[in-house]
Amino acid sequence: DTAVSQTPKYLVTQMGNDKSIKCEQNLGHDTMYWYKQDSKKFLKIMFSYNNKELIINETVPNRFSPKSPDKAHLNLHINSLELGDSAVYFCASGGSSSYNSPLHFGNGTRLTVT
Amino acid sequence: AQSVTQLDSQVPVFEEAPVELRCNYSSSVSVYLFWYVQYPNQGLQLLLKYLSGSTLVKGINGFEAEFNKSQTSFHLRKPSVHISDTAEYFCAVSVLNQAGTALIFGKGTTLSVSS
C-alpha cells in the first residue's frame, strides 16, 4: 500500500536512447510533481500537474516530457538522453491545498546514462 | 522570491550529543516551512512542518524546530541523536505564485552520527 510508487528504481541506459519513468499515487491527491536530485543532492522542481493539467514547467530541456493520463499518474518521458541527465528523479504528490500541506515522495529512480 | 539557505553542508556529531541544523529563509509573504529527511537510497520523509500557531514545532523521531520570524530562521534540533539519525536533511519553503505551488528546497545538510 505504497503511497507514491515509481518504476523503475534503477535505470541504466546509453546516450541517445529514449526512456520513461512511471509514477502512481494512491493518496487521492490532485497535484503531482517531478523533482530532479543531482549528484550534490540538490533537489530542483521540474514539473507539476494539477488534475492532469501542467501547472509548473521549470527551465527543463524539451527532451523531457511529462504525461498525466489521470490525476493518479504522472509519467516522465526523456528523449535523446545525455550524460548530464544522470540523476535521481523523484515523483511527489500533494493535496489540493498543497501550498500548506506536505508533499509525499516516491523512493526515486536512479538514472545513469553512459 | 522565496529561497532557503542551509548554513551547514555537513554536521558530524557523536551519538547522544545534541544537534542543531540551521535553516534560513527569505520570503516577502507568509511562509510555510518544512523539514524533510532522506535516508540513504530512499525518498524524502516529512519530519515536521510549520504552518501557523506555535513557533515550536515537534516532529517525528524526537526532532523539533523553532520558527523565528524576526531572524527568518527555522532551525532543526534534537537533544540526543542516535546512529540511525545519520541522513540528509532538507529544509523547504512552500511557494505559491502564478505558476502554482511547489516546495523549494535548501541544498541539504548531511548529519553524520558516530559512536
Side-chain angles (χ1 to χ4, degrees):
Chain A
D1 53 344
T2 303
V4 181
S5 59
Q6 297 178 229
T7 56
K9 188 174 175 65
Y10 299 98
L11 187 52
V12 181
T13 188
Q14 292 183 330
M15 284 172 47
N17 284 347
D18 303 338
K19 290 293 178 185
S20 293
I21 306 172
K22 295 186 176 182
C23 179
E24 176 181 4
Q25 56 97 0
N26 61 8
L27 296 167
H29 288 160
D30 293 327
T31 309
M32 296 184 72
Y33 305 80
W34 279 108
Y35 279 83
K36 179 180 180 180
Q37 186 174 45
D38 62 22
S39 58
K40 295 184 179 179
K41 302 265 178 103
F42 183 55
L43 279 155
K44 186 175 180 186
I45 187 167
M46 301 173 69
F47 303 102
S48 81
Y49 267 74
N50 184 279
N51 273 325
K52 304 191 295 177
E53 181 183 348
L54 180 64
I55 301 298
I56 293 176
N57 184 351
E58 290 295 307
T59 307
V60 175
N62 57 15
R63 298 182 293 105
F64 290 78
S65 54
K67 285 187 172 52
S68 182
D70 54 62
K71 76 173 192 177
H73 296 83
L74 180 61
N75 303 323
L76 183 65
H77 190 76
I78 316 170
N79 290 328
S80 303
L81 279 155
E82 300 177 358
L83 292 176
D85 297 332
S86 295
V88 181
Y89 292 85
F90 286 99
C91 178
S93 71
S96 57
S97 299
S98 54
Y99 183 45
N100 61 7
S101 62
L103 297 188
H104 296 257
F105 285 82
N107 283 333
T109 296
R110 183 175 294 276
L111 172 64
T112 303
V113 182
T114 61
Chain B
Q2 287 94 332
S3 66
V4 174
T5 302
Q6 291 184 243
L7 298 162
D8 308 294
S9 59
Q10 297 190 28
V11 174
V13 293
F14 287 109
E15 195 173 19
E16 298 183 9
V19 71
E20 178 180 80
L21 306 183
R22 297 181 294 168
C23 172
N24 283 92
Y25 68 91
S26 66
S27 174
S28 57
V29 296
S30 298
V31 292
Y32 300 106
L33 294 159
F34 305 82
W35 275 99
Y36 282 82
V37 60
Q38 184 180 26
Y39 298 105
N41 298 315
Q42 293 188 28
L44 281 79
Q45 180 181 356
L46 179 70
L47 270 180
L48 48 79
K49 61 185 177 186
Y50 172 78
L51 304 181
S52 64
S54 173
T55 56
L56 184 63
V57 181
K58 293 192 183 298
I60 62 171
N61 301 340
F63 283 93
E64 63 181 31
E66 186 158 18
F67 172 66
N68 188 320
K69 188 174 182 179
S70 62
Q71 297 186 3
T72 60
S73 67
F74 190 55
H75 300 333
L76 181 71
R77 302 186 183 102
K78 186 168 182 177
S80 175
V81 294
H82 303 292
I83 298 282
S84 59
D85 292 323
T86 295
E88 194 77 20
Y89 291 79
F90 293 94
C91 183
V93 62
S94 188
V95 174
L96 174 61
N97 55 34
Q98 295 170 329
T101 66
L103 279 184
I104 304 300
F105 286 90
K107 293 190 174 181
T109 297
T110 303
L111 175 64
S112 301
V113 182
S114 55
S115 57

